[in-house]
Amino acid sequence: MLRGLYTAASGMITQQRRHDTVTQNIANINTAGYKQVNSVTHSFPDVLISLMGDKETGGQKTIGRLTTGVFAEESMSSFMQGDLKETNNSSDFGLVSSLGLIDPATDQPIPFDASGKYVTEDGEVIYRPEVFFTVQDANGETRYTRDGGFRVNAAGGLLTNQGQAVLGSDGNPIVLQPGVTIDQVQSDGLGNLTSLDEEGEPVIVATLGVVVVNNPHQLVREGHGVFRVDNVQAANIRALEAEDNASVRQGYLESSNVDTAQAMVDLMAAQRAYESNQKLIQYYDKSLEKAVNEIGRV
């Protein structure tokens, strides 16, 4: 009986964490560049239940296996492309990417699933590469984001909405030249920012630091749409190249990739599952009360 009580309690904790994850996604539906988080659950190891044998034979009879509960194993980000929203703001930049990989065994494009993952016949897990802007936090550390809603300060520095410096392809913060405003800057698909010189000729003033993260699930979420990388080698980060199927769109922002309808369904499902486990605990509580106060009295 106590085993069932613990199983129901673990189910309540798991559904609470699932509910919190979905609530976080719903709260960030209008956050530019936000990537949905999915809660991954896993069952406790199976327990083998056996019937004790009698004294004559000494053998045991296997009854079966029992799973003693479930727990929230981890929260994984979904890096699916969000819709682009036109803002007509020169300091807004959206990333469009549909990067793919070629399977060397079949020489065909790898069919990634909705989460951007593919498992080979040998059990190897391959993730779809994703592109990110590079920014610098207050401690001088490099971070990555899909939120391209930038602004320019009085010194001409290109900053995020959180005040982090936007890095160029050379790894240094982007600072516009004196007399050059962001409205005079045009960006191409690779993030090259150009403006006209005194003779009216286009000149590259900076290049946005757009990188390709070949294993985006190595990114660690820090909040406000910013990620860090603890293992750079495992993430396998490189600069965006012309042949990559990705581009920068000026005057656009990438919307959140949260599926509102699915999020509401998941929210209700988590609530109903939580209530079901709660009723089981109440049932076990009443059963234990009877076992102690009534059966024990007899």
Side-chain angles (χ1 to χ4, degrees), residues 6 24 53 76 87 96 111 149 166 169 174 184 195 252 280:
Y6 296 147
Q24 174 185 336
M76 298 187 64
T87 63
V96 181
V166 180
S169 58
I174 295 178
Q184 298 172 337
S195 65
Y252 290 84
L280 279 177

Side-chain angles (χ1 to χ4, degrees), residues 1-297:
M1 183 176 296
L2 290 178
R3 184 186 292 116
L5 187 65
Y6 296 147
T7 301
S10 67
M12 289 183 64
I13 295 174
T14 299
Q15 296 305 323
Q16 181 181 3
R17 293 181 178 177
R18 180 186 176 192
H19 186 278
D20 293 342
T21 300
V22 178
T23 303
Q24 174 185 336
N25 291 334
I26 295 176
N28 286 277
I29 287 177
N30 296 322
T31 302
Y34 177 81
K35 296 304 177 184
Q36 176 175 298
V37 180
N38 299 319
S39 181
V40 180
T41 60
H42 192 276
S43 62
F44 288 120
D46 292 345
V47 177
L48 180 63
I49 301 178
S50 301
L51 180 65
M52 296 289 293
D54 54 35
K55 295 182 179 179
E56 296 180 359
T57 62
Q60 289 185 346
K61 181 179 180 181
T62 300
I63 297 178
R65 294 185 177 273
L66 175 68
T67 300
T68 56
V70 66
F71 66 99
E73 185 175 21
E74 60 179 333
S75 296
M76 298 187 64
S77 299
S78 172
F79 294 100
M80 291 189 304
Q81 175 72 45
D83 296 333
L84 286 189
K85 179 178 63 177
E86 187 174 6
T87 63
N88 295 319
N89 190 344
S90 300
S91 61
D92 289 340
F93 299 88
L95 288 175
V96 181
S97 64
S98 57
L99 299 177
L101 295 174
I102 301 297
D103 189 350
T106 61
D107 200 26
Q108 296 294 327
I110 294 178
F112 294 103
D113 60 14
S115 65
K117 182 177 67 174
Y118 174 74
V119 181
T120 64
E121 296 180 355
D122 299 331
E124 180 185 2
V125 180
I126 302 175
Y127 296 99
R128 180 174 53 217
E130 300 291 344
V131 294
F132 293 86
F133 296 110
T134 56
V135 298
Q136 188 179 74
D137 63 7
N139 298 322
E141 300 291 336
T142 300
R143 296 293 184 260
Y144 305 91
T145 183
R146 294 277 296 200
D147 184 0
F150 303 145
R151 58 183 176 86
V152 179
N153 61 9
L158 193 61
L159 307 177
T160 67
N161 288 326
Q162 304 301 323
Q164 297 174 328
V166 180
L167 299 181
S169 58
D170 57 357
N172 297 319
I174 295 178
V175 180
L176 300 180
Q177 300 174 357
V180 177
T181 64
I182 190 64
D183 294 331
Q184 298 172 337
V185 172
Q186 298 292 327
S187 174
D188 62 8
L190 293 177
N192 294 315
L193 305 180
T194 61
S195 65
L196 300 179
D197 59 11
E198 297 178 354
E199 298 179 356
E201 296 294 330
V203 178
I204 296 179
V205 296
T207 301
L208 293 173
V210 182
V211 297
V212 176
V213 182
N214 287 286
N215 188 355
H217 288 281
Q218 289 292 328
L219 297 174
V220 180
R221 188 183 296 263
E222 287 193 340
H224 302 289
V226 177
F227 300 85
R228 75 171 188 271
V229 174
D230 293 333
N231 191 337
V232 179
Q233 184 176 1
N236 191 8
I237 301 174
R238 63 174 177 82
L240 180 67
E241 300 176 354
E243 57 269 16
D244 291 324
N245 192 14
S247 62
V248 179
R249 301 282 183 87
Q250 188 178 18
Y252 290 84
L253 278 179
E254 181 185 5
S255 302
S256 168
N257 67 350
V258 176
D259 187 338
T260 307
Q262 185 62 45
M264 293 303 299
V265 172
D266 293 341
L267 190 67
M268 296 300 297
Q271 182 178 354
R272 292 290 183 265
Y274 183 91
E275 293 174 351
S276 299
N277 284 285
Q278 185 182 29
K279 291 180 180 179
L280 279 177
I281 290 181
Q282 293 173 349
Y283 167 78
Y284 282 121
D285 181 61
K286 292 181 180 179
S287 299
L288 289 172
E289 182 182 1
K290 286 187 177 181
V292 173
N293 297 330
E294 297 181 13
I295 300 177
R297 187 182 308 167

